[in-house]
Amino acid sequence: MRILIVEDEIRIREGIRKLLSKLDPGYEIVGEANDGLEGLDLCRQLEPDLIITDVQMPGMNGLKMLETLHDEGRMVKTIVLSAYSEFE
């Protein structure tokens, strides 16, 4: 499975990468992005099977990134992470 990680916190990105490598050697991290804009570009280029993204990030948040991908017709499996307990 080809995975793209979109997370602005480097320690969390590294933790996800390490956890995935331990879970299954078949998981391939094809890219990592610091925000939704970078994630959007990487998703268009790399066409991952799965995106793991944070919600709140600078630039473009994870939900807007996913909405944009959906509007472009890109249906990618997604895991959305958040440390926030409340959303508007």
Side-chain angles (χ1 to χ4, degrees):
M1 178 176 293
R2 297 168 39 83
I3 302 170
L4 172 64
I5 302 171
V6 184
E7 167 63 63
D8 61 323
E9 301 273 344
I10 190 165
R11 292 168 117 181
I12 295 173
R13 263 197 336 261
E14 290 172 350
I16 292 169
R17 184 179 348 105
K18 288 177 184 177
L19 177 63
L20 291 172
S21 69
K22 288 180 183 179
L23 289 175
D24 189 331
Y27 292 154
E28 177 187 3
I29 308 302
V30 294
E32 296 181 22
N34 293 312
D35 61 40
L37 289 171
E38 187 179 347
L40 190 59
D41 288 340
L42 285 176
C43 187
R44 289 170 176 155
Q45 293 171 29
L46 303 172
E47 298 185 2
D49 301 313
L50 173 69
I51 298 172
I52 300 175
T53 185
D54 190 8
V55 173
Q56 292 295 332
M57 294 177 286
M60 177 186 281
N61 71 41
L63 298 178
K64 181 64 178 169
M65 176 191 69
L66 295 174
E67 179 183 358
T68 303
L69 290 169
H70 181 268
D71 291 347
E72 292 177 358
R74 297 174 192 269
M75 302 299 172
V76 181
K77 292 179 182 169
T78 307
I79 297 173
V80 179
L81 307 173
S82 177
Y84 291 92
S85 60
E86 293 183 30
F87 291 98
E88 292 182 26

